[in-house]
Amino acid sequence: VDGGFEVYYQPYLDLQTNAITGCEALVRWRHPQRGMISPAEFIPLAEEMGLIVELGAWAVVEACSQIRAFLRQGLRPPKISVNVSSLQFNAAFTSLVQRTIEEFGIDPCLLELELTEGVLMSNAEASIRSLHDLKKLGVSLSVDDFGTGYSSLSYLSEFPLDELKIDRSFVIAFDNGPRNASLVSAIIAMGKSLNLRLVAEGVDSSAQYRFLHEAGVDVIQGFLFSKPVPADDFAVLLGSNRFAEQIRNLEREAA
């Protein structure tokens, strides 16, 4: 894959340590005439053209390459999370992940794979087998956009998951009344009952941050702290103490 594709990184902020605990690798396309194209536009196009598997494989390779690059810069690399499409999620993908980890010589726990509820539930029995195969490699596994699908608790408890990402639509909806806030709280309680790390994405305001922090979310992702940035800019964030100071200011405002 070439032709202007780049990977940007959006940090995950651990609310226990106030430090970057990971990031999401997000593919961006810089068109030579039109500039930066939204993923909402080019991802469906890639799926339609049969390129999404190749693009997804490229993203895994880029993430592992970046982990090694951070190590070589003397930085403690965070866990990098890569989205996996339904078309990628098969035995060949597991082999790709294994080969890539071995090629770059990285600790597999520094790679996380994100799958949506829809991908997992489309063939739940096969998903359980595939997830266990990936888990044996040592990577972390996350359910993305949680709350938008139809996972049953019985299946969810069988998936060897590490993390639930609360869909940003719920984070935004919390502002619209106590009923939505209760729904978010219920999702958090469900995740906690399964001993899963809770990540809230799309956090853009201090009110959202305070509610999610008090409700028991472990990790925050969103524009309140940082938009997705190129690898060099992310390396600067890793070496700074900016977020700890920002959180102290947020707490002072709430006091």
Side-chain angles (χ1 to χ4, degrees), residues 8-216:
Y8 276 44
Y9 300 89
Q10 186 172 30
Y12 295 159
L13 193 65
D14 187 305
L15 296 185
Q16 292 298 314
T17 63
N18 297 344
I20 294 173
T21 190
C23 63
E24 183 174 2
L26 297 158
V27 177
R28 296 290 185 258
W29 182 26
R30 193 181 300 277
H31 190 277
Q33 281 80 45
R34 296 174 57 196
M36 202 66 88
I37 306 295
S38 165
E41 187 174 343
F42 74 76
I43 293 295
L45 184 61
E47 290 175 341
E48 186 180 325
M49 296 174 66
L51 296 174
I52 194 66
V53 173
E54 186 181 355
L55 183 60
W58 175 82
V60 170
V61 172
E62 284 295 303
C64 291
S65 173
Q66 191 58 59
I67 289 169
R68 186 174 68 176
F70 285 143
L71 283 165
R72 289 180 171 177
Q73 292 173 53
L75 295 168
R76 186 172 68 85
K79 180 177 59 186
I80 295 183
S81 189
V82 180
N83 293 284
V84 181
S85 79
S86 58
L87 297 175
Q88 284 178 275
F89 190 46
N90 52 35
F93 178 71
T94 303
S95 298
L96 164 77
V97 172
Q98 182 174 10
R99 286 196 312 273
T100 307
I101 288 169
E102 291 171 351
E103 177 187 348
F104 289 100
I106 63 168
D107 186 337
C109 74
L110 293 174
L111 178 66
E112 181 172 70
L113 303 172
E114 287 188 20
L115 302 102
T116 64
E117 277 186 273
V119 170
L120 294 179
M121 295 307 297
S122 61
N123 187 344
E125 295 292 346
S127 293
I128 290 170
R129 290 193 297 272
S130 296
L131 289 174
H132 277 287
D133 289 341
L134 287 165
K135 194 69 182 168
K136 287 175 187 173
L137 300 179
V139 300
S140 296
L141 300 171
S142 173
V143 178
D144 192 17
D145 299 339
F146 185 74
T148 60
Y150 303 96
S151 338
S152 71
L153 267 177
S154 59
Y155 270 124
L156 199 59
S157 64
E158 290 185 52
F159 294 142
L161 301 169
D162 301 286
E163 179 180 282
L164 291 185
K165 288 189 77 176
I166 302 168
D167 185 67
R168 70 185 308 273
S169 63
F170 292 104
V171 174
I172 294 167
F174 129 79
D175 292 324
N176 297 331
R179 184 176 179 180
N180 291 310
S182 296
L183 183 56
V184 176
S185 297
I187 291 171
I188 292 168
M190 184 191 306
K192 293 288 186 184
S193 72
L194 295 169
N195 294 316
L196 298 174
R197 182 171 56 250
L198 272 297
V199 177
E201 58 183 344
V203 179
D204 298 336
S205 74
S206 55
Q208 291 168 349
Y209 161 80
R210 282 192 289 272
F211 165 71
L212 292 162
H213 190 8
E214 290 168 5

